[in-house]
Amino acid sequence: MPSLRVLVTRPQPQADEWVRRLRGAGFDAAALPLLHIDAVAPGPLRDAWQELAGASIDAVMFVSPNAVSRFFAARPAGLAWPASVWAAAPGPGTAQALVDAGVPAERVLQPDAASERFDSESLWAHMQSLPWAGRRVRVVRGEGGRDWLAQRLLEAGARVDFLQAYGRGAPRLDAAQQALLHEALSRAPHFIWLFSSSEAVGHLPALAPGADWSRSQALASHPRIAQAARELGIGRVDAVSPAFDAVCAALRDAETRCLQSPRP
């Protein structure tokens, strides 16, 4: 029987998908989404599809799987991804979502599979050699976000605009999820948090005011997220690639440590 319960904090539906995959790999996983995704008016998304069809866009950057799913949910009937348009993704999850949505794999720009991390910086390392001067690039994202990649594209001569595909808000935990959060704090050594967003970590103080996080442990998919978790007070935080196999390897290491720890 697994010695640790893995708490997947991604927004839905990605949380349930990760839980399914982790359980298939032999882990005891549960969803505890720490970001709520809100719908936005579909009109601007449908208009963006018409612009794509009119060949006025050269590349579209999707910041997350949710950006992909919300954008493609608004696709008008009969429109396919234009063969001349690049789709850019900061990591393998978003890239796979694009392929699953119908974007040809050869039109997807993503960081090298051997990258130590998956973010805007590693994506730009893969994109910067392309001729961006005069090209029009659209960034599909949630409400607000980090503008680092857009700035690099502007410096390279591209024209960049933003399209909000969804809103992000505080989690809405039901009674079962609130009980799970309480158990994760009261039995901290038996749980491990899987963080993929600094914003998600930032919601925990309001969900558990005054909580002692010193006995908790976490895996974070980026150094910035790991830093946010450490600032919260989590006792052990390890940075890990967001690739599924890397997460599984880190979880097995954590389970081994748990089994080797002296029992109270």
Side-chain angles (χ1 to χ4, degrees):
M1 180 177 180
S3 57
L4 281 178
R5 193 161 205 205
V6 185
L7 296 179
V8 180
T9 63
R10 290 172 178 265
Q12 294 291 18
Q14 283 79 39
D16 282 345
E17 173 62 16
W18 269 79
V19 167
R20 183 191 66 79
R21 295 181 69 190
L22 288 169
R23 287 177 177 175
F27 298 101
D28 178 14
L32 190 58
L34 295 182
L35 280 175
H36 181 77
I37 301 300
D38 294 308
V40 297
L45 298 174
R46 288 196 295 262
D47 292 345
W49 272 101
Q50 297 296 344
E51 285 191 274
L52 273 181
S56 62
I57 303 291
D58 298 291
V60 183
M61 160 67 180
F62 295 87
V63 304
S64 68
N66 270 310
V68 176
S69 63
R70 299 290 172 144
F71 184 76
F72 278 82
R75 176 172 50 181
L79 289 187
W81 186 265
S84 62
V85 177
W86 292 105
T94 305
Q96 187 59 54
L98 285 166
V99 173
D100 292 344
V103 179
E106 62 272 16
R107 299 307 296 174
V108 177
L109 297 169
Q110 61 177 310
D112 189 274
S115 297
E116 292 185 1
R117 64 190 194 189
F118 298 103
D119 55 13
S120 294
E121 286 86 346
S122 56
L123 175 58
W124 180 241
H126 187 74
M127 294 172 59
Q128 62 183 337
S129 62
L130 295 174
W132 293 108
R135 302 296 179 91
R136 188 175 176 196
V137 182
R138 173 158 289 154
V139 179
V140 180
R141 62 182 185 177
E143 186 177 358
R146 188 167 176 251
D147 294 339
W148 187 90
L149 181 61
Q151 187 60 43
R152 301 291 84 71
L153 286 162
L154 288 168
E155 291 168 356
R159 294 175 293 155
V160 182
D161 62 66
F162 299 92
L163 177 66
Q164 183 182 347
Y166 57 93
R168 296 191 309 272
R172 302 174 184 178
L173 303 186
D174 59 26
Q177 291 169 332
Q178 290 172 359
L180 181 60
L181 173 59
H182 176 75
E183 184 184 6
L185 286 167
S186 62
R187 302 180 63 245
H190 300 278
F191 287 80
I192 185 165
W193 295 80
L194 187 56
F195 292 130
S196 58
S197 163
S198 300
E199 185 178 358
V201 177
H203 287 305
L204 283 170
L207 292 171
D212 176 11
W213 293 95
S214 62
R215 298 193 308 143
S216 298
Q217 58 185 318
L219 299 179
S221 62
H222 192 278
R224 284 190 298 271
I225 303 170
Q227 182 60 32
R230 294 185 184 106
E231 291 174 356
L232 177 64
I234 292 179
R236 175 167 184 145
V237 182
D238 294 311
V240 63
S241 164
F244 183 74
D245 289 347
V247 170
C248 287
L251 288 173
R252 292 188 185 99
D253 288 344
E255 285 197 336
T256 299
R257 290 196 306 271
C258 182
L259 289 170
Q260 292 173 347
S261 297
R263 298 292 179 179

